[in-house]
Structure formats: C-alpha cells, structure tokens
Amino acid sequence: MVLKYYFDLMSQPSRALYIFLKLTKIPFESCPVALRKGKKVPFIHDDNFKLAESIAIARYLTRAYPVNDHWYPKDSQRQAKMDEFLEWQHLNLRAFCTLYFQIKWLQPMITGKQPTPEQLNKSEDDMVNTLNRFVEYFLKDGPFINGAAKISFSDILAACEIEQLRIASYEPREDRPILKNWIENVRNDCNPYYDEAHKLVNNLVDRAKKDVQAKL
Amino acid sequence: MVLKYYFDLMSQPSRALYIFLKLTKIPFESCPVALRKGKKVPFIHDDNFKLAESIAIARYLTRAYPVNDHWYPKDSQRQAKMDEFLEWQHLNLRAFCTLYFQIKWLQPMITGKQPTPEQLNKSEDDMVNTLNRFVEYFLKDGPFINGAAKISFSDILAACEIEQLRIASYEPREDRPILKNWIENVRNDCNPYYDEAHKLVNNLVDRAKKDVQAKL
C-alpha cells in the first residue's frame, strides 16, 4: 500500500516534507488535513506504521526508500553534524520564527487583537538573533547548511521555516546576502516543488502587501 | 585520544549524557564547564571532531562505539518511534519544564525579582499539560518510553529534564503513578550514576525544603 502523507501547506514542516517527497520521487498519496482543525501535521501512515514529527519522518524515509545520500548523509560524522543542526533548530529557528509569525500575524487574525509593542519587539529581537546565529553557525562555509556541496533535508526544513516570516511582512533576505544566496540555492534545487508548496504563502504575502499599500 | 566530554551537571541534557556514557562504558575524559559562564553544554571532542546538541551526540556515540541496541534501536521503525519522541520533546517537555524552572527558580535567584502570578500560572499550566501529554502519549504501554521492555537514551533524557522541576519545588511524581513508576525504573536501571549525576539537584531540593520550613 502506498505511503499516505497527511499535511497542510500552511505548516512549515509540512511543506518541507512535501518538497522532499516530490524531489526524492517517493510514491505517496496526498492526504491534506486542515491545520486549523487542531490536528498535528505532518504525519505519515506507511501500511500500519504511523509516525509524526517531520525530522523523525525524514530520517525514516531515508532508510525505508531509496534516497540519495546527500539528503541525509550516511557518513557518521557528516550525519552527526546534520543532526546537530536538526536538534538545534527546534528551540532556535523553529521556536522564534514561529512565535514571531504567531504574534504578529496569526493571533491578530484569529482574535482581532494586536500584540503590545513590548511583545512584538521582544519577539522580533529573538527572531532576528536566531536568523543571524543561523547564518553565522551553519551557512558561513558554503552553498548549503554545514558547508555541504549538495542540498540536504535540513536546507529544505530551514528554508520553509524562514519563508513563513514573509506572511508576517518580514523579509528575511533583506540585508542578509549569505542567507539570500542560500535560500535561492535551495529554491532553485527544489523547483518546481518549492514554488508549488509556497503558493499559499506567496498569496498571503501578496495580500499583506496590498493591504499595506491600501493604507498609504 | 580519549573522547572529551564537556558538561555541567546543573544542565539536564549534560546529566543525561553523563549517565549514558557511564552506563555504556564509553571511555571519556570529564571536562566540567560552568554553565553560568555562558558556554553551551553539553558538547564533545572526539579527536578533531567537535559536536554539540545532546541528541546528536547520543546518536553519534551509538554509531562510533559498541553500544547495546536498546539504547537507540537499529530496527528502522523502532528507531523512528524513538526519534519521534526525541524530536517531540524539544518544544514540549524540554521547553515547558525548563521555562518553569527558569521562571520560578533561576530568574528570581539571579535578579532577586519574583515572577508575576500570571507568568507563574501560565508557565505551570504549560508544564503540567506537557507532563500529562508525556504520560499519555509515551508512557502508557510499558515500563519505558514507547512501551519498550528495556531502557533507552530517551528515558534518561526525559527523566533528567523532569527531575529539574524539583529544584523549583514541584514534585512531578505526585498524583502521577505511571510517571512515578517509570522514573523509578529509570533511576534503578541507571544507578549508581543516576544519583551521582543528580547529587547537586538533590542538594538544591533539600535546601529549598529547608527554606520553606524556616518560613513556617
């Protein structure tokens, strides 16, 4: 039975796994789930085997399906450095970018209430610091994360997280040439699936820009 | 050259890796680092190879050294379920237990300022919810995480995180018989190293109890 993939393209890790599945040509059945209904996405059903958590899923897929080594290297030390990023990002890139997106865009949209300037400033500081640390620690040595010559699952995961900021009218590429260059490398390697997975994000970014222009 | 292990036993993941290294009999040189000096712990130097992030380190050690399978199973699906827990815990057990510890104990100790009742209540709710979800999702099927018959690295990591709450005068075992039973299984399997690694924690718990009694 074909792998079932449950996802919502509004969710950053859902987009990352969607792009990964497409690029690695792993056959799967698309099972869209509305995130707003409170279901935790992404998850998979591989026959009777159920699994959540995007990083656990990506690692499992590289063992269960024929996937090129660069996506998640088998070499022990290179794999360990990839794991170091994947474990680091939870309480850094993921935590602070998501929090900024929620405080600045999602919560006002749901509740109609704006954050206080203190909340927004604190969240923006944390987000900016984590983006700068990401560039400094993980992007400084080459075209992809950890200076790798080829793209890995980590690159897709990080790029999808960072793209989410644009919905909240924050452009992560601005004044960050290394990050801009890297995210374009990721996009180019992942297209047409990168743009396909980000269609909803890009629509929301366009709408936010029009709202700002309408107010001018 | 022997593995160098940099750690501070005040740090939950530092204790987990210390216990893991002792139990798996991986030879290592102890390199204590004071967490309060701002160094991020734990990390290792294995000859010229440097690695941070406790989970990345544990995974690397199970490949680089002869370690019994139960610590991190090679079976693909069992490993995936272990990864599911290890990825889940960052933004759940780790995030909310650490935040509670920081708000209730660490920050008042450093700054002399108490949290507001709202901050403390919110943090306690999040922490209690995550403990209850941990029991419901991961402990319900057997003696160890995911219903495993034998202990894994996940069990040590989770137990060390949860023990930290006791410094902040919160007893996670109270009214949680499943959690109490599990944490005693972990402690029994890990002793004498579990108690050795928690000596500082237990001293701080005793001191907090005396402070409370002195106020009565």
Side-chain angles (χ1 to χ4, degrees), chain B residues 35-136:
Chain B
L35 191 61
R36 63 185 185 279
K37 289 188 181 162
K39 263 289 218 187
K40 218 177 157 256
V41 287
F43 60 97
I44 60 167
H45 290 184
D46 198 6
D47 278 323
N48 291 323
F49 182 62
K50 297 178 183 184
L51 190 65
E53 292 296 330
S54 54
I55 295 169
I57 294 170
R59 285 197 184 102
Y60 169 74
L61 294 174
T62 63
R63 294 190 300 268
Y65 293 86
V67 168
N68 283 338
D69 192 70
H70 63 88
W71 290 113
Y72 184 62
K74 286 193 182 61
D75 172 81
S76 184
Q77 295 195 348
R78 284 178 58 222
Q79 183 171 122
K81 294 305 280 186
M82 188 101 343
D83 282 351
E84 186 182 58
F85 168 76
L86 290 169
E87 302 307 320
W88 175 86
Q89 61 81 37
H90 284 287
L91 285 164
N92 291 281
L93 212 47
R94 172 100 183 114
F96 294 125
C97 292
T98 295
L99 193 63
Y100 180 79
F101 164 75
Q102 289 176 342
I103 284 182
K104 190 168 170 196
W105 189 86
L106 190 64
Q107 288 171 5
M109 196 197 58
I110 292 172
T111 65
K113 277 186 208 164
Q114 292 297 323
T116 66
E118 291 75 23
Q119 285 173 325
L120 193 59
N121 287 341
K122 169 77 170 67
S123 172
E124 185 159 331
D125 284 352
D126 287 340
M127 179 272 287
V128 165
N129 284 335
T130 206
L131 283 183
N132 293 342
R133 282 200 305 272
F134 171 59
V135 173
E136 188 191 343

Side-chain angles (χ1 to χ4, degrees), chain B residues 1-213:
Chain B
M1 214 165 67
V2 74
L3 178 80
K4 288 187 178 182
Y5 178 49
Y6 296 84
F7 66 98
D8 181 332
L9 292 179
M10 265 302 276
S11 133
Q12 304 90 310
S14 282
R15 292 198 294 274
L17 272 180
Y18 179 87
I19 294 166
F20 180 66
L21 283 162
K22 287 286 192 179
L23 285 168
T24 54
K25 300 191 170 59
I26 295 172
F28 70 98
E29 182 187 331
S30 273
C31 304
V33 174
L35 191 61
R36 63 185 185 279
K37 289 188 181 162
K39 263 289 218 187
K40 218 177 157 256
V41 287
F43 60 97
I44 60 167
H45 290 184
D46 198 6
D47 278 323
N48 291 323
F49 182 62
K50 297 178 183 184
L51 190 65
E53 292 296 330
S54 54
I55 295 169
I57 294 170
R59 285 197 184 102
Y60 169 74
L61 294 174
T62 63
R63 294 190 300 268
Y65 293 86
V67 168
N68 283 338
D69 192 70
H70 63 88
W71 290 113
Y72 184 62
K74 286 193 182 61
D75 172 81
S76 184
Q77 295 195 348
R78 284 178 58 222
Q79 183 171 122
K81 294 305 280 186
M82 188 101 343
D83 282 351
E84 186 182 58
F85 168 76
L86 290 169
E87 302 307 320
W88 175 86
Q89 61 81 37
H90 284 287
L91 285 164
N92 291 281
L93 212 47
R94 172 100 183 114
F96 294 125
C97 292
T98 295
L99 193 63
Y100 180 79
F101 164 75
Q102 289 176 342
I103 284 182
K104 190 168 170 196
W105 189 86
L106 190 64
Q107 288 171 5
M109 196 197 58
I110 292 172
T111 65
K113 277 186 208 164
Q114 292 297 323
T116 66
E118 291 75 23
Q119 285 173 325
L120 193 59
N121 287 341
K122 169 77 170 67
S123 172
E124 185 159 331
D125 284 352
D126 287 340
M127 179 272 287
V128 165
N129 284 335
T130 206
L131 283 183
N132 293 342
R133 282 200 305 272
F134 171 59
V135 173
E136 188 191 343
Y137 297 166
F138 295 102
L139 294 186
K140 63 173 194 282
D141 295 323
F144 295 105
I145 284 174
N146 289 337
K150 287 191 173 182
I151 193 169
S152 72
F153 176 70
S154 300
D155 294 289
I156 310 183
L157 189 76
C160 289
E161 189 60 57
I162 292 171
E163 291 283 1
Q164 196 85 349
L165 296 170
R166 295 169 55 238
I167 304 176
S169 305
Y170 183 86
E171 181 43 79
R173 292 162 178 82
E174 207 175 291
D175 298 325
R176 289 192 187 86
I178 295 173
L179 188 141
K180 184 181 175 186
N181 195 40
W182 161 79
I183 213 166
E184 285 309 309
N185 291 341
V186 177
R187 180 172 171 246
N188 288 336
D189 268 29
C190 295
N191 261 341
Y193 308 116
Y194 193 91
D195 287 351
E196 184 191 327
H198 285 91
K199 201 176 166 186
L200 181 57
V201 171
N202 289 329
N203 284 347
L204 290 169
V205 173
D206 287 344
R207 197 194 297 172
K209 278 184 190 159
K210 277 179 199 151
D211 285 351
V212 169
Q213 282 166 349

Side-chain angles (χ1 to χ4, degrees), chain A residues 149-176:
Chain A
K150 288 192 171 183
I151 192 169
S152 72
F153 176 71
S154 299
D155 293 289
I156 310 183
L157 189 77
C160 289
E161 190 60 57
I162 291 171
E163 292 282 1
Q164 196 85 351
L165 295 170
R166 295 169 56 237
I167 304 176
S169 305
Y170 183 86
E171 181 43 79
R173 291 162 179 81
E174 209 175 291
D175 298 325
R176 289 192 187 86

Side-chain angles (χ1 to χ4, degrees), chain A residues 123-188:
Chain A
S123 173
E124 185 159 330
D125 284 351
D126 287 340
M127 179 271 289
V128 165
N129 283 336
T130 205
L131 284 183
N132 294 342
R133 280 199 306 270
F134 171 58
V135 173
E136 187 191 342
Y137 296 166
F138 296 103
L139 294 187
K140 63 172 194 283
D141 295 323
F144 295 105
I145 285 173
N146 288 339
K150 288 192 171 183
I151 192 169
S152 72
F153 176 71
S154 299
D155 293 289
I156 310 183
L157 189 77
C160 289
E161 190 60 57
I162 291 171
E163 292 282 1
Q164 196 85 351
L165 295 170
R166 295 169 56 237
I167 304 176
S169 305
Y170 183 86
E171 181 43 79
R173 291 162 179 81
E174 209 175 291
D175 298 325
R176 289 192 187 86
I178 294 173
L179 187 141
K180 186 182 175 184
N181 195 39
W182 161 79
I183 212 167
E184 285 309 311
N185 291 342
V186 177
R187 181 172 170 245
N188 289 336

Side-chain angles (χ1 to χ4, degrees), chain A residues 52 59 63 79 84 87 90, chain B residues 52 59 79 84 87 90:
Chain A
R59 284 197 183 103
R63 295 190 299 267
Q79 182 172 123
E84 185 182 60
E87 302 307 320
H90 284 286
Chain B
R59 285 197 184 102
Q79 183 171 122
E84 186 182 58
E87 302 307 320
H90 284 287

